[in-house]
Amino acid sequence: MEFIKKYNIAELSNPGVVSRQLLNPENSESVRVTITEVHLESGATQPRHSHESSEQIWYAVKGRGVLLLAENEEKLFEAGDVVRFGDGDIHGLHNDSDEEFIYISVTSPPIDFGYAYQKKG
């Protein structure tokens, strides 16, 4: 069993985006998943990107935003929705609402997302 105390949960950030690394290669021995809680301020964007050898499942917890998909496609993503991105699927998110947007991400196999953020909190 592993028990991760809140003070062992790192926060990564970019302008308008905070990613709480709930379970990742730095605080867990898990070789199967990374779990993050991502907060986007109103107007914030996570640019389109992909993970060539990992899939991600996102669960929208609070608010609403727009999924940024391949070929400039966009899709409404709001609290209660779940989306799964397969290996290599293009995805991103824009919070076009007036309130904070929060989602939980489960990534398998795990990824250390430090490369995608400017600083650790």
Side-chain angles (χ1 to χ4, degrees):
M1 182 192 105
E2 285 184 324
F3 182 81
I4 301 167
K5 295 293 286 180
K6 61 185 171 185
Y7 54 78
N8 287 325
I9 296 172
E11 290 188 354
L12 305 176
S13 63
N14 282 329
V17 180
V18 173
S19 180
R20 298 186 70 238
Q21 303 297 291
L22 304 179
L23 187 137
N24 71 27
E26 290 186 14
N27 70 3
S28 172
E29 295 178 18
S30 176
V31 296
R32 297 191 177 164
V33 297
T34 295
I35 302 174
T36 58
E37 177 186 274
V38 183
H39 297 244
L40 283 86
E41 295 175 3
S42 176
T45 299
Q46 289 182 303
R48 286 177 172 89
H49 63 282
S50 66
H51 309 288
E52 291 309 311
S53 58
S54 289
E55 71 175 329
Q56 281 190 323
I57 295 95
W58 290 0
Y59 169 62
V61 176
K62 176 185 174 192
R64 71 151 211 270
V66 177
L67 293 170
L68 306 174
L69 306 170
E71 300 179 13
N72 290 321
E73 183 182 351
E74 297 182 351
K75 186 169 186 71
L76 178 66
F77 185 48
E78 57 190 344
D81 291 345
V82 175
V83 62
R84 178 190 164 274
F85 305 106
D87 296 11
D89 283 353
I90 302 293
H91 59 284
L93 184 69
H94 175 68
N95 180 356
D96 66 346
S97 74
D98 293 332
E99 65 178 6
E100 179 182 47
F101 183 86
I102 301 173
Y103 71 91
I104 301 293
S105 173
V106 178
T107 306
S108 180
I111 294 176
D112 180 346
F113 289 106
Y115 74 91
Y117 289 86
Q118 294 177 358
K119 67 175 183 168
K120 289 187 176 186

